[in-house]
Amino acid sequence: MTMSLTYSPISTDWPRQVKTPGNRDWERSAAKWLRELVPSRYGSYPLLIREPVLLARHAQIQLQQEIRVIRTALHSARAELPSMGMPESVIEHTIKLYAAELTQLNHIARGVRVVTQALVDSNSGRTGR
């Protein structure tokens, strides 16, 4: 009996938009998902199209910056928004929006990390490194 090994994500962090390794075109689905996470101009660079690991690295850096921006906005909202004329109800809604966005970005960042690792593992297996 021959057993075929297929990659099974260790956690629920694997993005549902990305096929798991071992499935046909999984790397293509990973690259497509990663391109959606970076500014559109990066998706047209030939090197990033050819090398999904580089695209994944850039997506990780991009998300780290977005998380930093949202944290700054969240932590400064109560101090800065009143002086901008924002009523308390708007400030509360803004804080909830930032908190929800931070949760979402952290979830996406975990997905990028597991996809990146799978791409690295796949690339290492292919090149014999």
Side-chain angles (χ1 to χ4, degrees):
M1 180 169 122
T2 308
M3 295 184 84
S4 98
L5 296 176
T6 57
Y7 184 86
S8 175
I10 295 170
S11 71
T12 58
D13 293 331
W14 190 267
R16 67 179 181 276
Q17 302 92 324
V18 179
K19 295 177 182 180
T20 54
N23 286 304
R24 185 172 178 264
D25 292 335
W26 86 268
E27 287 182 348
R28 186 174 305 180
S29 71
K32 181 178 185 257
W33 180 70
L34 291 164
R35 278 193 306 272
E36 293 171 1
L37 300 177
V38 299
S40 60
R41 67 184 176 277
Y42 290 102
S44 66
Y45 291 139
L47 181 61
L48 294 179
I49 293 169
R50 281 192 318 270
E51 299 293 341
V53 172
L54 292 178
L55 180 61
R57 178 182 177 270
H58 189 81
Q60 283 182 326
I61 294 167
Q62 188 76 35
L63 280 163
Q64 288 169 358
Q65 293 305 314
E66 287 183 49
I67 289 168
R68 189 171 294 129
V69 166
I70 291 296
R71 282 184 179 147
T72 299
L74 179 61
H75 292 119
S76 63
R78 285 207 192 284
E80 294 179 7
L81 293 179
S83 66
M84 299 175 79
M86 294 290 112
E88 184 62 28
S89 63
V90 171
I91 294 169
E92 289 304 316
H93 280 85
T94 301
I95 289 169
K96 288 177 183 175
L97 176 137
Y98 288 150
E101 183 64 12
L102 186 58
T103 298
Q104 180 68 14
L105 288 171
N106 280 316
H107 176 72
I108 293 168
R110 289 190 305 273
V112 170
R113 281 193 295 274
V114 296
V115 168
T116 300
Q117 188 58 55
L119 287 166
V120 168
D121 292 348
S122 176
N123 195 39
S124 295
R126 195 171 28 253
T127 60
R129 290 183 217 160

